[in-house]
Amino acid sequence: MLFRSFSLEAFRTAMARRAFLRTSGVGVGAAALSLLESRAKGEAAGAGSADVKKPGRIHPPLPGLPHHAPKAKHVIYIHTNGGPSQIDLWDYKPKLVDYFDKDIPASIRGEQRLTTMTSGQSRLPVAPSKFKFEQAGACGRWICTELLPHTAKVVDKIALVKTVHTNAINHDPANTFVMTGSEIPGKASLGSWLSYGLGSESDDLPAFVVFTPLPDINPSQAIFTRMWSSGFLPTRYTGVALRGSGDPVLYLQNPAGVSRAGRRRTLDTLGGLNARGFERYADPEIQTRIAQYEMAFRMQASVPSLVDISDETEATLQMYGDDVKKTGSFTHSLLLARRLVERGVRVVQILHRGWDQHLNLPNDLRAQCLDTDQATAALVQDLDARGLLDETLVVWGGEFGRTVYSQGTLTKDNYGRDHHPRNFCMWMAGGGVKGGFSYGETDDFSYNVVENPVHVNSFNATILHLMGIDHERFTFKFQGLDQKLTGVEPQRVVKEIVA
């Protein structure tokens, strides 16, 4: 066997070259690094001084973005993890009362696969919704006012898509799909794509913030960090999850005896060492480390004022509901979401679990709606009252819907529903969508799309469009492919819902 001799410096050069070829976006990272250094120098000199030249943004957009004039600047995405029942909330099917406890017709069911949770049932009996629907708003939207009385008051602000469909029938791949455009883990999430492409107007908070409030029921339902992960993008674009108890961010306070000025000097020294490491190895994760240290320092000052809601009026707090002061609750998370977009944060994601009602749906779905309905409507109203709704896109939806047939024992007052990927409901409000608008239709069993299907990746393409991004042109080179949030198959922007 022959061995070739390399000097240490030649080895370092080769490793740096490999690191460069493994990655893209190094130029952007170097610019960000330079920006952080200029910020640090500015603060050290006295950032409050009028003589200090104001540097650029901490989270700048990519060159050339946005592609077109955006309708929205921010996204607040409420993910109802588990698959809320479209039949019991949005997709009104009054004719189903005549089919109670009758088997779903074979012509309706077709060849759809079943999950293992219902494939062993001897029957698939139709279960009409037991809840009351009424028409609401000037648009006359049919909605379950029994479960969503507060959301019913804002339907004129909502664009409802009744025909969203997905490829996945189980939670993990379906959640991964709706959030990353692929069932395969390792891809970048929607929030990471947006923060990577558009940056943020806030210099003192992350571009992408995540909340994971616990519901009153089924709190053990799993959610995965891949739903806000940066995947193949540099890890600095991963969402920052704020904690629901204790300090929102661990180690927010400096240890006893450590001053803010001392912390600043430490970070400046550490940043210099890391910068030298980047010059030598061109590893973008070094840039991530520098950016994270710098953002953590800034958050020590910005987060306490963010979570201090004592400056909110009593009327605002009452509008959100009783849990608004309960740290870690869904209600508290939505109020903080509004405060975050006020401060320029690009994307806020709230993942609310517990919507997987295989059994005992009437009781458990009611509990979920009691936990979320008032605050969801209040968020829309609050943004609107502050002039923020026009520039903030609010998104609501899960990973799939529920079946018209019952899982388990069916009675007039109790039933369950299995997973249903063929059609489910999602909605958007504000941010350039048509309020009081409904798109797509399903059959009388809410089992098949009969008009205007919308794939989850087309739904995401529409979000990108509203934020000023052409989903076909928004790519990142990885593993030899031009990766996109919307995948490799053709998708379209649902322009019918765009104002």
Side-chain angles (χ1 to χ4, degrees):
M1 181 179 294
L2 298 176
F3 294 90
R4 296 180 63 188
S5 175
F6 284 97
S7 69
L8 178 59
E9 191 58 38
F11 173 76
R12 289 172 174 167
T13 301
M15 292 303 294
R17 186 177 294 117
R18 289 176 188 175
F20 177 83
L21 292 174
R22 276 203 315 267
T23 62
S24 62
V26 169
V28 176
L33 173 59
S34 175
L35 176 59
L36 291 176
E37 290 174 340
S38 68
R39 285 267 175 176
K41 291 175 182 176
E43 287 191 357
S49 171
D51 297 328
V52 179
K53 183 179 179 181
K54 183 179 179 180
R57 284 160 54 177
I58 288 288
H59 307 291
L62 289 179
L65 286 179
H67 295 129
H68 56 261
K71 300 278 189 178
K73 293 181 180 179
H74 317 279
V75 174
I76 297 177
Y77 195 125
I78 303 169
H79 179 67
T80 47
N81 194 77
S85 173
Q86 78 284 357
I87 304 174
D88 295 284
L89 297 176
W90 291 101
D91 202 8
Y92 182 46
K93 299 299 177 184
K95 295 181 181 180
L96 287 180
V97 294
D98 298 330
Y99 283 87
F100 175 77
D101 203 24
K102 296 179 181 178
D103 285 349
I104 182 173
S107 59
I108 298 298
R109 180 188 159 190
E111 298 298 321
Q112 176 169 313
R113 56 183 172 155
L114 305 178
T115 74
T116 55
M117 292 170 284
T118 51
S119 60
Q121 290 187 186
S122 59
R123 297 182 60 223
L124 298 175
V126 171
S129 178
K130 74 179 292 290
F131 299 109
K132 180 181 180 180
F133 276 72
E134 293 178 294
Q135 288 180 286
C139 65
R141 172 74 54 250
W142 284 103
I143 180 174
C144 180
T145 52
E146 185 176 346
L147 297 181
L148 300 175
H150 297 279
T151 304
K153 298 176 183 177
V154 298
V155 290
D156 286 333
K157 301 292 184 183
I158 287 173
L160 176 67
V161 182
K162 298 168 67 176
T163 52
V164 184
H165 61 97
T166 183
N167 300 10
I169 200 170
N170 289 312
H171 295 291
D172 187 4
N175 278 312
T176 305
F177 203 163
V178 75
M179 286 298 166
T180 71
S182 172
E183 296 179 63
I184 302 172
K187 302 298 179 73
S189 65
L190 169 65
S192 295
W193 275 109
L194 287 170
S195 61
Y196 164 69
L198 298 177
S200 176
E201 296 174 353
S202 174
D203 290 338
D204 300 316
L205 290 164
F208 177 21
V209 175
V210 178
F211 295 95
T212 57
L214 287 174
D216 294 331
I217 63 167
N218 197 16
S220 61
Q221 185 183 20
I223 56 174
F224 303 93
T225 56
R226 72 174 71 104
M227 296 168 71
W228 59 89
S229 170
S230 60
F232 44 72
L233 297 176
T235 54
R236 46 198 281 239
Y237 300 109
T238 292
V240 174
L242 298 189
R243 301 170 70 237
S245 60
D247 285 339
V249 180
L250 288 174
Y251 311 116
L252 194 60
Q253 304 299 322
N254 284 323
V258 177
S259 68
R260 185 162 176 80
R263 175 69 72 185
R264 178 72 269 171
R265 289 192 297 271
T266 299
L267 290 180
D268 288 344
T269 302
L270 191 58
L273 293 172
N274 280 324
R276 291 174 61 185
F278 177 76
E279 289 175 1
R280 176 172 295 180
Y281 301 113
D283 183 353
E285 291 307 299
I286 296 177
Q287 300 167 338
T288 295
R289 191 177 307 125
I290 296 171
Q292 287 175 335
Y293 288 159
E294 180 68 24
M295 181 51 63
F297 177 77
R298 293 175 177 276
M299 289 173 68
Q300 285 183 307
S302 63
V303 169
S305 63
L306 167 71
V307 301
D308 180 7
I309 62 173
S310 62
D311 58 346
E312 298 287 344
T313 67
E314 190 61 30
T316 297
L317 297 177
Q318 289 179 4
M319 180 171 63
Y320 277 86
D322 294 339
D323 285 346
V324 71
K325 295 182 180 180
K326 181 181 176 182
T327 304
S329 68
F330 178 83
T331 304
H332 185 258
S333 299
L334 258 60
L335 178 61
L336 292 187
R338 190 221 76 208
R339 293 171 68 88
L340 283 163
V341 299
E342 278 185 315
R343 288 159 168 78
V345 170
R346 184 69 65 191
V347 184
V348 184
Q349 185 176 354
I350 301 97
L351 299 104
H352 186 265
R353 67 194 86 178
W355 295 83
D356 188 28
Q357 284 94 34
H358 289 276
L359 304 171
N360 200 30
L361 181 145
N363 178 75
D364 292 354
L365 183 60
R366 185 184 297 277
Q368 289 294 92
C369 292
L370 282 172
D371 195 26
T372 60
D373 172 50
Q374 182 175 350
T376 301
L379 174 66
V380 175
Q381 294 169 317
D382 197 10
L383 290 169
D384 193 29
R386 295 169 188 270
L388 291 170
L389 188 59
D390 287 344
E391 64 183 44
T392 304
L393 182 66
V394 181
V395 181
W396 181 98
E399 68 270 33
F400 43 54
R402 314 302 299 192
T403 56
V404 67
Y405 56 80
S406 178
Q407 178 177 343
T409 302
L410 169 63
T411 69
K412 286 284 187 179
D413 295 318
N414 200 9
Y415 48 88
R417 300 193 190 279
D418 203 358
H419 306 166
H420 187 64
R422 279 192 181 181
N423 59 274
F424 57 104
C425 295
M426 298 183 72
W427 59 256
M428 302 182 192
V433 302
K434 295 177 182 177
F437 189 76
S438 178
Y439 186 75
E441 291 295 340
T442 61
D443 61 23
D444 289 340
F445 293 82
S446 190
Y447 204 78
N448 299 287
V449 174
V450 297
E451 181 181 305
N452 297 326
V454 176
H455 191 270
V456 290
N457 277 343
S458 288
F459 192 87
N460 284 338
T462 307
I463 294 176
L464 293 181
H465 174 81
L466 292 166
M467 296 293 287
I469 296 175
D470 180 347
H471 74 102
E472 293 286 2
R473 296 163 56 194
F474 191 34
T475 64
F476 186 91
K477 183 74 73 175
F478 179 69
Q479 293 183 341
L481 296 175
D482 290 326
Q483 302 279 351
K484 298 186 298 183
L485 170 66
T486 53
V488 297
E489 296 179 347
Q491 304 297 336
R492 75 177 191 92
V493 174
V494 188
K495 293 186 177 180
E496 291 86 349
I497 71 172
V498 178

